[in-house]
Amino acid sequence: MPKPPSSESPDQSEAFRAYIAEKGLRGTRQRLAVFEATRNLSGHYTAEELLKKSRSIDRTVSRATIYRALPLLIGSGIIREVDVGRDHKYYLTETGSTPFRAQLICENCDTILEVDAPFMEWYGKTVAAKHGMKPISQKLQVTALCETCQKNKLSRS
Ligand SMILES: [Zn+2]
């Protein structure tokens, strides 16, 4: 039996089920386990980490289930895809209020920080409007060195 959703927002589960139904798909036990896994992960995770978490909820979740569930989770606004230009993508569970976010990416390790950047949204809108354009999407990613990597660099030189 899948565990009842432990998250504080049952509406998210509703939204996901409704989205799946809209696509003419069934809310299978495996799909709901993947959904449940996203509620239990924090920070940025990879598809593999999502698979591991989903399997801890339902052992029958396969890698194919994950790759088919990802677009459904993204489309229904449950998770967000974060592409930082590496060979694999990261995912982040949406937490409700989502002001514009920027990513600080350490170029040396796996550290990725999400920071609120509401000014960027304003900036994008303003600049686009100036040229009679309507923004569709925008992103801000800052490549940096995290504190640990800075220290390691110093101790090596
Ligand atoms: Zn680092």
Side-chain angles (χ1 to χ4, degrees):
M1 281 290 288
K3 280 190 293 177
S6 59
S7 77
E8 58 305 324
S9 49
D11 49 314
Q12 289 265 290
S13 165
E14 273 311 297
F16 184 56
R17 283 164 198 264
Y19 185 83
I20 289 177
E22 203 178 286
K23 298 267 159 197
L25 298 166
R26 281 185 315 122
T28 60
R29 208 178 73 181
Q30 288 82 359
R31 284 196 182 117
L32 296 175
V34 180
F35 166 80
E36 189 55 28
T38 66
R39 316 306 299 163
N40 292 307
L41 284 164
S42 57
H44 296 83
Y45 46 88
T46 61
E48 284 302 309
E49 283 159 347
L50 182 59
L51 174 64
K52 225 173 125 194
K53 193 64 154 183
S54 303
R55 274 187 178 156
S56 74
I57 296 165
D58 186 329
R59 274 187 304 161
T60 64
V61 172
S62 67
R63 189 165 277 112
T65 311
I66 297 291
Y67 284 100
R68 281 196 295 257
L70 282 171
L72 300 173
L73 289 161
I74 295 164
S76 55
I78 304 295
I79 65 169
R80 187 150 48 91
E81 187 178 85
V82 179
D83 187 348
V84 297
R86 297 213 173 136
D87 52 357
H88 56 266
K89 292 193 168 115
Y90 290 92
Y91 302 92
L92 190 69
T93 303
E94 295 281 17
T95 49
S97 69
T98 41
F100 187 82
R101 291 297 190 79
Q103 281 106 35
L104 291 171
I105 305 151
C106 179
E107 67 165 7
N108 199 52
C109 70
D110 282 331
T111 302
I112 304 172
L113 291 179
E114 290 271 321
V115 293
D116 286 350
F119 59 90
M120 268 304 292
E121 192 167 22
W122 167 83
Y123 182 79
K125 272 186 196 152
T126 309
V127 171
K130 233 175 217 168
H131 298 276
M133 294 174 89
K134 201 169 175 287
I136 293 165
S137 74
Q138 59 175 340
K139 62 179 177 181
L140 174 64
Q141 294 182 339
V142 179
T143 307
L145 267 184
C146 73
E147 273 187 281
T148 312
C149 291
Q150 286 177 52
K151 277 184 199 138
N152 290 347
K153 244 190 186 160
L154 277 177
S155 63
R156 256 188 282 131
S157 57

